């Protein structure tokens, strides 16, 4: 019978193992295909944008070549080009020495975009563009064709840009170039819109290996390759790499941008594809089948000793079975630990600028459909310097919150925010900065924030500290969105928004992320207008508890108590019948030790439900009571012969397997 059950268990384990491997392979394949498709799609979008820019610059050059090269005509064509091309940060012409006017060595008028305005510069009065090996000027003249330059800090813009240059000709001879600059901000917006969700990020590298767009662009000097093993020639290549940003084992997909020869890369984290709910449950099923099969195999091996007294093989088998159960418990612990927190259906998680753009468009469509008006969007950022868990539901935080108000937002709209969960707060304006497009205001925040933490899985719990933010003007349609442009990298695993020296004793930071949830208003706050319920912005810090401290403070005392109870059972013999009262006194002492330990746990970690670790205490209570009753049988010989047989050998033998089996079942029910 045991042999048949063992065979069935082995077959079931094999089937579940094959099924899991197939499901894992399918999940990885789907994720890889999605990342590859996104890389291909984004490369096509970037190529289309760059070709549109090429057409604009080439159109200006054609108009100048065919319409005359006097100063008035030049400026008219340049102005027309910059007005028609929003992506163009600047455009100009640059003549070879003496080519425009024999009495004028250099001539290079340039139009630079400044917000909604356009200003004119004379590059020839700022620097000698024929010196210094400037790609945008020397490249087309040497090669005889239009071309893109490598990314560099544009002297005309004061920012990193790429330039496209077309030949300026007269009578079939090249006399200069028409060059247009595209800010890397425009390119970054396209690259960051690649939809790989929480599973990775994208970057762009020029043909010469220069970093054009990368979440950690500040960490890479121009000319440095993102990955030393990256091939810039092979189209559609896939490489196994260790991501230098997060340290995660990853795949890197690269696609060619035909217009320029640039390479778009998509880094996809391997482990993230495996962290799905379906795969998690399949791993637990496989673990259950494997544990049951191994236990049945041990029982099969011990079958010949069932009716004989052979202590050594029986104890050896019980030890092996207990070890299997212990490893099974540890495996089930590891399955849910560190998994991503579930996202509510009504919540939007922002993982890149593309998700912010989609949220903004959906919000505008909804507002137009319901109210016929457009909301105002206020980019808001958070930077947390310190965080301390004061009590089970109170968290003290310090840091900065800033908001960027566009110039088109009326002055009547209040500047500020509300922390609805803060019971004690100090908000002080720290700085204020203005540009042509917007005004940025930053506040230093010191607050105690109430949280609804769930400690049911303690000590394997994961908590999400949430800083909810409302706009202070409750009577207007203001929507807060994350100011993702203010962060180097916005992927959740990069822990954006936390100080580099951030420390939270007893916890490990898993991720940070911005989210938005609909705000349901149940009151008008006494205002004449109902205003707009809108959405609230949330900044989440997801933390995993470090289990060392709970193991030392809770599991270690329980383990010691368990071994002491086992030791008291081991001395249960016919020769110790006179010590029953003393043994029961020892059990009662251990019972109260366990009670005091549980009370201390409840004092430190409160919760509305029973904590996972508290079931360990319940198992220990039951164990002490059963051990005490077993000890009582030693004082009444002959009443329970099957228990008393061979000096209570059966209770001693089953002690650890029963305890560990109970804990395994509790663990399975809790985390399944």
């Amino acid at each position: 019978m045991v042999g048949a059950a063992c065979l069935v268990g082995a077959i079931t384990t094999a089937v579940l193992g094959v099924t899991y491997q197939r499901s894992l392979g399918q999940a990885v394949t789907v994720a890889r295909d999605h990342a590859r498709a996104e890389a291909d799609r984004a490369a096509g979008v970037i190529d289309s944008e760059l070709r549109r820019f090429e057409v604009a610059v080439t159109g200006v050059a054609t108009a100048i070549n065919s319409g005359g090269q006097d100063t008035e005509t030049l400026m008219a064509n340049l102005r027309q080009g910059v007005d028609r091309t929003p992506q163009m940060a600047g455009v100009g012409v640059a003549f070879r020495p003496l080519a425009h006017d024999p009495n004028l060595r250099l001539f290079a008028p340039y139009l630079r975009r400044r917000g909604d305005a356009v200003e004119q510069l004379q590059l020839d009065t700022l620097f000698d563009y024929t010196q210094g090996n400037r790609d945008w000027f020397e490249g087309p003249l040497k090669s005889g064709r239009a071309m893109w330059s490598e990314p560099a800090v544009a002297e005309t813009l004061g920012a990193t840009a790429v330039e496209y240059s077309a030949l300026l000709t007269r009578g079939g001879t090249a006399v200069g170039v028409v060059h247009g600059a595209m800010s890397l901000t425009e390119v970054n917006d396209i690259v960051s819109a690649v939809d790989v969700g929480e599973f990775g990020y994208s970057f762009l590298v020029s043909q010469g290996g220069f970093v054009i767009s990368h979440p950690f662009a500040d960490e890479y000097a121009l000319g440095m390759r993102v990955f030393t093993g990256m091939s810039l020639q092979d189209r559609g290549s896939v490489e196994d790499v260790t991501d230098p940003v997060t340290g995660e084992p990853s795949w890197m997909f690269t696609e060619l941008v035909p217009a320029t020869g640039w390479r778009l890369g998509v880094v996809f984290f391997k482990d993230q594809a495996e962290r799905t709910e379906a795969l998690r449950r399949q791993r637990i099923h496989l673990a259950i089948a494997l544990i049951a099969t191994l236990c049945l195999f041990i029982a099969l091996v011990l079958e010949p000793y069932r009716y004989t007294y052979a202590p050594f093989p029986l104890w050896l088998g019980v030890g092996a079975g207990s070890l299997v159960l212990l490893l099974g418990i540890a495996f089930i612990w590891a399955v849910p630990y560190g998994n991503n927190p579930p996202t509510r259906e009504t919540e939007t998680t922002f993982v890149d600028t593309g998700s912010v753009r989609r949220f903004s468009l959906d919000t505008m469509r909804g507002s137009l459909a319901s109210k016929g008006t457009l909301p105002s969007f206020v980019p808001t950022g958070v930077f947390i310097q310190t965080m301390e868990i004061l009590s089970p539901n109170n968290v003290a935080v310090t840091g900065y919150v800033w908001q960027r108000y566009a110039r088109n937002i009326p002055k009547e709209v209040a500047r500020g925010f509300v922390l609805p969960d803060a019971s004690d707060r100090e908000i002080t304006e720290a700085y204020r900065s203005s540009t042509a497009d917007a005004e940025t205001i930053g506040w230093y925040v010191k607050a105690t924030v109430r949280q609804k933490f769930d400690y049911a899985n303690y000590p394997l719990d994961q908590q999400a500290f949430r800083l909810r933010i409302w706009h202070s003007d409750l009577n207007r349609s203001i929507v807060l969105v994350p100011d993702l442009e203010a962060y180097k990298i916005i992927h959740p695993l990069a822990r954006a928004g936390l100080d580099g020296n951030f420390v939270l004793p007893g916890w490990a930071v898993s991720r940070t992320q911005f989210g938005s949830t609909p705000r349901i208003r149940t009151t008008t706050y006494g205002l004449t207008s109902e205003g707009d319920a809108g959405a609230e912005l949330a900044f989440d810090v997801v933390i995993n508890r470090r289990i060392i401290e709970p193991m030392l403070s809770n599991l270690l005392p329980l383990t010691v108590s368990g071994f002491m109870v086992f030791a008291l059972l081991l001395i249960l013999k016919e020769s110790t019948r006179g010590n029953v009262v003393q043994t029961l006194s020892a059990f009662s002492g251990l019972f109260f030790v366990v009670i005091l330990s549980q009370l201390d746990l409840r004092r430190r970690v409160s919760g509305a439900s029973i904590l996972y670790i508290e079931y360990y205490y319940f198992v220990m209570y039951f164990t002490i009571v059963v051990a005490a009753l077993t000890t009582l049988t030693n004082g009444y010989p002959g009443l329970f012969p099957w228990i008393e047989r061979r000096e209570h050998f059966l209770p001693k033998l089953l002690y650890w397997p029963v305890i560990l089996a109970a804990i395994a079942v509790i663990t399975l029910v809790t985390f399944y």
Side-chain angles (χ1 to χ4, degrees), residues 378-446:
V378 177
T380 302
V382 176
F383 181 75
I384 294 181
Q385 293 176 303
T386 65
M387 190 166 77
E388 180 182 1
I389 300 179
L390 302 176
S391 66
N393 297 103
N394 287 320
V395 180
V397 295
T398 63
Y400 290 88
V401 175
W402 65 89
Q403 292 182 322
R404 184 156 45 87
Y405 290 88
R407 291 299 182 188
N408 60 0
I409 296 180
K411 294 291 184 181
E412 293 76 20
V413 174
R415 268 56 174 168
F417 61 93
V418 175
L419 302 178
D421 295 325
S423 59
D424 183 19
R425 68 185 71 84
E426 295 179 19
I427 301 176
T428 308
E429 183 174 326
Y431 59 88
R432 187 180 291 252
S433 175
S434 297
T435 64
D437 301 325
E439 178 185 40
T440 301
I441 308 173
W443 295 268
Y444 179 75
V445 177
K446 182 179 181 181

Side-chain angles (χ1 to χ4, degrees), residues 580-599:
V580 171
V581 175
Q582 293 88 335
T583 305
L584 291 177
S585 298
F587 282 135
S588 64
L590 290 173
F591 194 88
F592 282 105
V593 167
V594 176
I595 288 178
L596 292 176
S597 178
Q598 185 181 8
L599 291 176

Side-chain angles (χ1 to χ4, degrees), residues 280 283-285 287-288 291 325-337 460 612 663-672:
R280 185 185 73 84
R283 283 194 290 271
I284 293 178
H285 293 162
I288 295 172
I291 292 170
L325 290 171
L326 192 62
L327 293 176
I329 293 170
F331 179 81
I332 298 175
W333 276 16
V335 169
Y337 188 75
L460 302 177
Y612 163 67
I663 293 176
V665 171
I666 291 169
T667 303
L668 178 63
V669 172
T670 301
F671 295 108
Y672 185 78

Side-chain angles (χ1 to χ4, degrees), residues 145 338 522 636:
R145 60 182 179 84
T522 58
Y636 301 92

Side-chain angles (χ1 to χ4, degrees), residues 254-463:
T254 55
E255 284 292 340
L256 180 70
V257 180
T260 58
W262 296 347
R263 302 290 298 184
L264 176 74
V266 172
V267 175
F268 184 85
F269 305 138
K270 295 180 181 180
D271 293 345
Q272 297 298 312
E274 303 174 8
R275 294 185 177 182
T276 65
E277 182 63 18
L279 289 176
R280 185 185 73 84
R281 289 183 178 273
Q282 287 189 17
R283 283 194 290 271
I284 293 178
H285 293 162
L286 180 59
I288 295 172
L290 183 60
I291 292 170
T293 301
L294 290 175
C295 289
L296 287 171
F297 177 75
I298 293 172
L300 180 64
V301 173
L302 296 179
E303 179 70 17
Y305 305 98
R306 181 177 179 181
Y307 300 106
T308 61
Y309 181 64
F312 180 75
L314 289 175
W315 279 115
L316 188 63
V318 165
S322 299
L323 181 61
V324 168
L325 290 171
L326 192 62
L327 293 176
I329 293 170
F331 179 81
I332 298 175
W333 276 16
V335 169
Y337 188 75
N339 278 352
N340 300 338
T343 301
R344 288 177 287 184
E345 294 182 0
T346 57
E347 182 174 343
T348 300
T349 301
F350 302 109
V351 296
D352 50 35
T353 55
S355 58
V356 176
R357 187 178 295 110
R358 289 189 293 272
F359 170 78
S360 301
L361 290 174
D362 292 341
T363 302
M364 286 190 290
R365 293 191 189 103
S367 181
L368 283 173
S370 60
K371 303 179 181 65
T373 59
L374 288 174
S376 297
F377 294 93
V378 177
T380 302
V382 176
F383 181 75
I384 294 181
Q385 293 176 303
T386 65
M387 190 166 77
E388 180 182 1
I389 300 179
L390 302 176
S391 66
N393 297 103
N394 287 320
V395 180
V397 295
T398 63
Y400 290 88
V401 175
W402 65 89
Q403 292 182 322
R404 184 156 45 87
Y405 290 88
R407 291 299 182 188
N408 60 0
I409 296 180
K411 294 291 184 181
E412 293 76 20
V413 174
R415 268 56 174 168
F417 61 93
V418 175
L419 302 178
D421 295 325
S423 59
D424 183 19
R425 68 185 71 84
E426 295 179 19
I427 301 176
T428 308
E429 183 174 326
Y431 59 88
R432 187 180 291 252
S433 175
S434 297
T435 64
D437 301 325
E439 178 185 40
T440 301
I441 308 173
W443 295 268
Y444 179 75
V445 177
K446 182 179 181 181
T448 300
V449 184
R450 296 282 294 175
Q451 296 291 301
K452 189 178 180 181
F453 288 155
D454 183 8
Y455 294 98
N457 292 340
Y458 178 91
L460 302 177
D461 53 324
Q462 180 186 74
Q463 307 297 346

Side-chain angles (χ1 to χ4, degrees), residues 438-655:
E439 178 185 40
T440 301
I441 308 173
W443 295 268
Y444 179 75
V445 177
K446 182 179 181 181
T448 300
V449 184
R450 296 282 294 175
Q451 296 291 301
K452 189 178 180 181
F453 288 155
D454 183 8
Y455 294 98
N457 292 340
Y458 178 91
L460 302 177
D461 53 324
Q462 180 186 74
Q463 307 297 346
F465 167 78
R466 167 159 290 194
L467 186 66
R468 298 166 59 210
I469 306 174
W470 296 357
H471 190 264
S472 59
D473 200 332
L474 302 175
N475 203 33
R476 296 180 183 272
S477 183
I478 305 294
V479 178
L480 302 183
V481 293
D483 185 16
L484 299 185
E485 296 179 2
Y487 301 96
K488 287 182 178 180
I489 184 169
I490 55 179
H491 192 275
L493 294 180
R495 303 174 183 89
L498 291 185
D499 189 277
N501 297 319
F502 181 86
V503 175
L504 186 60
W507 298 86
V509 178
S510 172
R511 57 203 286 117
T512 61
Q513 61 191 29
F514 281 97
S516 180
T517 55
R519 180 156 57 97
I520 301 175
R521 284 177 55 163
T522 58
T523 178
T524 63
Y525 299 101
L527 301 172
T528 56
S529 171
E530 293 187 3
D532 183 16
E536 65 179 29
L537 182 66
F539 178 72
D540 295 335
V541 180
V542 181
I543 52 179
N544 295 320
R545 188 184 298 274
R546 299 184 187 274
I547 64 173
I548 297 299
E549 189 273 334
M551 288 185 67
L552 293 177
S553 62
N554 299 114
L555 292 182
L556 183 59
L558 284 175
T559 303
V560 172
S561 298
F563 273 102
M564 293 183 69
V565 172
F566 183 60
L568 291 173
L569 280 179
L570 288 179
I571 64 174
L572 195 61
K573 300 178 181 179
E574 183 178 352
S575 59
T576 60
R577 284 177 179 170
N579 300 329
V580 171
V581 175
Q582 293 88 335
T583 305
L584 291 177
S585 298
F587 282 135
S588 64
L590 290 173
F591 194 88
F592 282 105
V593 167
V594 176
I595 288 178
L596 292 176
S597 178
Q598 185 181 8
L599 291 176
D600 179 67
L601 170 66
R602 270 292 173 177
R603 180 185 58 81
R604 292 182 290 109
V605 183
S606 63
S609 60
I610 298 176
L611 308 182
Y612 163 67
I613 199 171
E614 285 189 289
Y615 289 105
Y616 285 54
Y617 288 91
F618 299 152
V619 170
M620 186 52 59
Y621 293 145
F622 180 78
T623 300
I624 293 174
V625 170
V626 171
L629 293 175
T630 303
T631 301
L632 281 176
T633 64
N634 197 35
Y636 301 92
L639 291 180
F640 304 95
W642 58 279
I643 295 178
E644 301 172 32
R645 183 179 302 163
R646 301 190 184 278
E647 296 185 332
H648 296 79
F649 182 70
L650 184 62
K652 298 173 184 177
L653 191 68
L654 297 180
Y655 180 84

Side-chain angles (χ1 to χ4, degrees), residues 18-71:
V18 172
T19 303
Y20 172 73
Q21 288 298 325
R22 287 182 177 177
S23 299
L24 178 61
Q26 290 175 357
V28 170
T29 300
V30 169
R32 282 172 57 117
D33 290 345
H34 173 70
R36 190 194 301 273
E38 277 298 306
D40 183 66
R41 182 196 64 80
V45 172
I46 294 173
D47 185 67
S48 298
E49 289 294 325
L50 294 176
R51 290 192 185 279
R52 190 177 295 114
F53 192 85
E54 290 178 1
V55 170
V57 175
T58 303
V60 173
T62 302
I64 293 175
N65 290 336
S66 61
Q69 298 178 0
D70 59 280
T71 302

